[in-house]
Amino acid sequence: MKPAPFDYARARSVEHALELLGREGARVLAGGQSLIATLNMRLSHPSLLVDINEVAGLDRIARRNGHIEIGALVRHAQAERSAELGQAAPLVARALPHIGHPAIRNRGTVGGSIAFADPAAELPACLLALQGEVDIAGPAGKRTVKADDFFHGLFETALGACGVLTAIRVPAATSATRVGFAELARRHGDYAMVGLAAAARANGKNLTDVRLAFFGVGATPVRARNAEAALAAGDVEAAVNALGHDLDPPDDVQATGAVKKHLAGVLLRRVARQLNEAPQ
Ligand SMILES: Cc1cc2nc3c(=O)[nH]c(=O)nc-3n(C[C@H](O)[C@H](O)[C@H](O)COP(=O)(O)OP(=O)(O)OC[C@H]3O[C@@H](n4cnc5c(N)ncnc54)[C@H](O)[C@@H]3O)c2cc1C
């Protein structure tokens, strides 16, 4: 199928993009790896695509004030190759190779993944596990939204219709940071049936500030708060049992909700082992 007709404009700056997005039915075009597919399948009919690929300054990875900031236009492949990101955001580095295939990672952007907010995507769950935040430029000015408040529902976020996501930010890892990541997909590169991104802080032999963000189990990434408490108390099997209260995954084309719940427990045992390992 071919997309419905649309206009195209190349934004010169974030301000110019915001001006163009003022038009009814306008949408941001970043890497196009999700948007173009929805256009071709006629699942969306934007009147205007606002291409932000040439907006300067959105493709940088920078460490400042104890955080690592990733510009919206940083490609997945660029992030994967960044030694700085690998050191400061090891959870993101572990998740990136699971996103699609190399061709998709060459074009797809970090900002696009967060803005699109596919409930089975890896990066939104990492952002949530890491207590990250999102910078948004909008008609009323700039604002920063915490990951806990960003994901509202299925493909719905705090961005709003006319917002441009300019960067995400996560606290830089320290020697006490522990992370874990695992997902189950039918084939490598497919969207996950179920996945888990996790972060914690080592405190002697214990873990504190445990955050477990499951993906592929609901309309948004889902925190498993009872399991987090059980893991912080050092009881992995209690954490697995707590998933019965924390998660209520609906059936989908990949698996039934019951199977997803079982797989979530399998992943939690794997990730709990990772969280208890000191980084090399
Ligand atoms: C075969 C295939 C397999 C894939 N597998 C995975 C996978 O396993 N895991 C995964 O996470 N993803 C997967 N993807 C999607 C891929 O990661 C996309 O790159 C990503 O979801 C969207 O990024 P993009 O830059 O391509 O955004 P686009 O496709 O350009 O945009 C996606 C949406 O986000 C909006 N948007 C993009 N950037 C911004 C911004 N800066 N500000 C405001 N709105 C913005 C657009 O308007 C659009 O609505 C797959 C894609 C394909 C084609």
Side-chain angles (χ1 to χ4, degrees):
M1 246 159 103
K2 295 278 179 232
F6 56 85
D7 291 337
Y8 170 90
R10 192 173 288 158
R12 294 184 298 275
S13 62
V14 172
E15 293 71 29
H16 186 213
L18 291 173
E19 195 185 310
L20 292 164
L21 286 168
R23 179 166 141 187
E24 180 74 30
R27 290 275 290 279
V28 170
L29 171 68
Q33 298 303 294
S34 298
L35 182 58
I36 298 299
T38 67
L39 257 59
N40 286 344
M41 289 185 275
R42 298 213 174 193
L43 294 172
S44 64
H45 310 88
S47 63
L48 168 68
L49 289 191
V50 178
D51 185 343
I52 59 167
N53 280 279
E54 294 196 0
V55 174
L58 298 185
D59 60 350
R60 296 188 193 136
I61 298 172
R63 203 172 162 151
R64 61 173 76 97
N65 302 329
H67 285 73
I68 183 141
E69 192 171 294
I70 309 172
L73 286 179
V74 169
R75 312 278 166 190
H76 302 313
Q78 178 190 349
E80 226 178 326
R81 286 193 301 266
S82 164
E84 190 159 37
L85 186 138
Q87 196 190 33
L91 177 60
V92 177
R94 279 196 199 186
L96 283 163
H98 294 271
I99 299 177
H101 306 282
I104 290 150
R105 298 200 293 274
N106 280 337
R107 283 301 298 169
T109 64
V110 169
S113 283
I114 303 295
F116 192 53
D118 189 305
E122 288 81 1
L123 295 186
C126 291
L127 191 73
L128 187 62
L130 292 170
Q131 298 191 66
E133 49 193 32
V134 179
D135 286 345
I136 300 171
K142 293 181 182 166
R143 62 201 163 104
T144 297
V145 179
K146 291 192 184 314
D148 284 303
D149 303 321
F150 184 76
F151 302 103
H152 289 180
L154 191 61
F155 299 108
E156 271 180 38
T157 69
L159 252 181
C162 302
V164 176
L165 189 159
T166 53
I168 65 164
R169 201 174 305 102
V170 297
T174 67
S175 58
T177 302
R178 299 289 180 271
V179 297
F181 183 89
E183 70 172 50
L184 289 162
R186 288 190 186 275
R187 297 170 306 187
H188 183 80
D190 282 359
Y191 273 104
M193 284 192 280
V194 184
L196 171 57
R201 210 152 46 86
N203 181 9
K205 287 193 169 166
N206 301 323
L207 293 174
T208 59
D209 298 336
V210 179
R211 287 176 67 103
L212 302 172
F214 280 90
F215 52 102
V217 296
T220 62
V222 178
R223 291 263 313 273
R225 291 173 194 267
N226 292 300
E228 288 171 358
L231 217 51
D235 192 336
V236 177
E237 285 315 305
V240 171
N241 289 333
L243 293 180
H245 299 288
D246 287 328
L247 305 181
D248 186 16
D251 300 348
D252 65 21
V253 287
Q254 301 230 53
T256 62
V259 166
K260 280 174 178 263
K261 225 175 196 174
H262 171 73
L263 296 178
V266 172
L267 292 180
L268 182 50
R269 288 190 188 94
R270 289 182 191 172
V271 164
R273 275 196 296 277
Q274 295 173 26
L275 286 174
N276 283 303
E277 284 164 9
Q280 304 296 319

